């Protein structure tokens, strides 16, 4: 048995659209997870035109996920941080404070779309931050970093239902530790910015955590907890997240870069992070905040 889940921004999902698709696909009774926002119905098989319908619904600002019904509620969340659990790229915000924002943002965008080697790109960007006072990190956290909508509900709801939450980022521990504590993650992994004499050295402490390290985090944490990869819901937005998403039970490209979306079956472009609860079958009334 399979399940089709439709998700949109609050007020943008109409009963008429949901019922029309259910009828066209011969689905079972529609279950509304949130009025005018998220609904689902069971299906005996994946429709042959599912990809075409997904594209049509994207034009109506509606996300569609078709997946096996059994096992969709996961026991672990493995999440990227920048542009996933928070709305910004931390290194871009540091660069803006240093007066090199445009140059660094361009490198970041190209690296996240897979156009540049990740390790070389992070070295180049961090090199431009050399000499910044270490206190700039707290300033950026307080003034420039915003949580992605729905993030706390995602983490807290999965944890309230026995799940484990890990934040794994190609960014920096100075940021992941704060974001993880604020949202309720159980652990976090990231790169470490070099600091000498109270200022940023312009170097990243080795080894650098990139795409392969995120896969290793998936392997390490599931082994430690006695979980299978199929128990994991992973989410990210850039090519640095690809191996993590491909090897998790459910890998979600959240507002993903074009290169990542081409390689992911589950894509959320219009909903926020609560979409990851809806696709697991949670109703809005079950959210824990």
């Amino acid at each position: 048995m399979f399940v089709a889940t439709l998700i949109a921004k609050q007020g943008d999902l109409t009963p008429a659209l949901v019922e029309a698709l259910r009828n066209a696909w011969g689905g079972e009774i529609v279950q509304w997870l949130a009025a005018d926002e998220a609904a689902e119905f069971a299906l005996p098989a994946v429709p042959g035109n599912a990809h075409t319908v997904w594209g049509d619904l994207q034009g109506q600002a509606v996300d569609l996920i078709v997946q096996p019904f059994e096992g969709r509620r996961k026991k672990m969340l493995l999440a990227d941080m920048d542009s996933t659990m928070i709305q910004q790229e931390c290194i871009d915000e540091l660069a803006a404070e240093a007066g090199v924002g445009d140059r660094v943002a361009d490198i970041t965008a190209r690296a996240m779309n897979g156009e540049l080697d990740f390790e070389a790109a992070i070295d180049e960007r961090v090199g431009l931050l050399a000499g910044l006072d270490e206190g700039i990190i707290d300033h950026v956290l307080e003034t420039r970093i915003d949580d992605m909508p729905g993030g706390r509900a995602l983490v807290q709801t999965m944890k309230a239902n026995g799940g484990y939450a890990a934040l794994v980022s190609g960014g920096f521990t100075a940021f992941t530790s704060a974001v993880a504590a604020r949202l309720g993650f159980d652990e976090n992994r990231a790169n470490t910015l070099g600091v000498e004499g109270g200022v940023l050295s312009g170097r990243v402490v080795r080894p650098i955590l990139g795409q392969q390290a995120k896969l290793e985090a998936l392997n390490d944490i599931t082994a430690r907890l006695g979980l299978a990869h199929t128990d994991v819901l992973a989410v990210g937005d850039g090519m640095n997240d690809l191996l993590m998403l491909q090897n998790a039970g459910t890998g979600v490209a959240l507002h993903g870069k074009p290169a990542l979306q081409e390689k992911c079956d589950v894509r959320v472009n219009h909903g926020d992070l609560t979409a990851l609860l809806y696709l697991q079958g949670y109703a809005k009334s079950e959210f824990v905040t």
Side-chain angles (χ1 to χ4, degrees):
M1 185 65 72
F2 292 82
V3 60
T5 308
L6 294 94
I7 305 164
K9 291 182 180 179
Q10 179 72 53
D12 286 352
L13 186 63
T14 66
L17 185 153
V18 178
E19 288 294 344
L21 184 59
R22 183 193 70 82
N23 289 333
W25 280 356
E28 297 184 5
I29 296 173
V30 171
Q31 305 292 327
W32 282 91
L33 304 173
D36 303 321
E37 183 179 357
E40 66 178 28
F41 54 85
L43 291 163
V46 178
N49 66 342
H51 182 74
T52 300
V53 172
W54 177 87
D56 292 341
L57 290 175
Q58 286 293 294
Q60 301 179 58
V62 175
D63 291 314
L64 170 68
I65 299 97
V66 181
Q67 61 180 324
F69 186 90
E70 185 176 355
R72 63 175 170 151
R73 189 164 289 196
K74 302 304 184 184
K75 300 175 182 177
M76 175 177 154
L77 171 67
L78 187 64
D80 174 46
M81 180 181 69
D82 295 274
S83 298
T84 300
M85 297 306 301
I86 61 173
Q87 297 182 43
Q88 294 80 22
E89 295 282 336
C90 289
I91 194 167
D92 292 358
E93 301 306 317
L94 285 172
E97 292 286 342
V100 291
D102 290 344
R103 183 175 175 186
V104 167
D106 176 67
I107 299 170
T108 299
R110 292 165 62 199
M112 291 303 98
N113 201 42
E115 299 171 24
L116 300 174
D117 174 75
F118 179 80
E119 189 163 322
I122 197 171
D123 278 338
E124 182 179 358
R125 288 174 291 167
V126 170
L128 295 171
L129 306 179
L132 279 180
D133 188 279
E134 183 182 13
I136 199 67
I137 293 172
D138 288 337
H139 174 72
V140 167
L141 275 166
E142 293 171 4
T143 62
R144 288 180 170 268
I145 303 303
D146 303 298
D147 295 338
M148 192 69 76
R152 183 167 178 79
L154 172 63
V155 174
Q156 294 300 322
T157 301
M158 289 188 67
K159 288 183 63 176
N161 286 272
Y164 188 87
L167 187 64
V168 182
S169 173
F172 307 109
T173 54
F175 292 95
T176 58
S177 58
V179 172
R182 185 166 67 232
L183 297 180
F185 280 90
D186 295 293
E187 66 175 272
N188 69 94
R189 300 184 183 191
N191 293 301
T192 301
L193 282 170
V195 177
E196 297 175 1
V199 300
L200 302 188
S201 67
R203 293 187 294 275
V204 183
V205 177
R206 263 42 183 182
I208 287 180
L209 189 155
Q211 185 173 162
Q212 186 63 40
K214 290 192 175 190
L215 175 59
E216 291 171 2
L218 170 64
N219 294 334
D220 292 347
I221 299 171
T222 52
R224 190 180 77 227
L225 298 178
L227 300 175
H229 283 198
T230 53
D231 295 321
V232 179
L233 173 67
V235 59
D237 72 298
M239 287 298 288
N240 191 37
D241 303 306
L242 180 61
L243 292 178
M244 176 178 78
L245 301 187
Q246 288 182 329
N247 286 275
T250 301
V252 182
L254 181 81
H255 304 163
K257 307 300 186 292
L260 181 69
Q261 293 211 34
E262 290 177 1
K263 298 180 180 296
C264 291
D265 294 328
V266 181
R267 291 160 282 183
V268 173
N269 292 320
H270 304 290
D272 60 25
L273 282 165
T274 59
L276 277 65
L277 292 172
Y278 293 136
L279 65 84
Q280 293 181 80
Y282 287 100
K284 194 168 192 174
S285 59
E286 299 177 271
F287 290 2
V288 177
T289 57

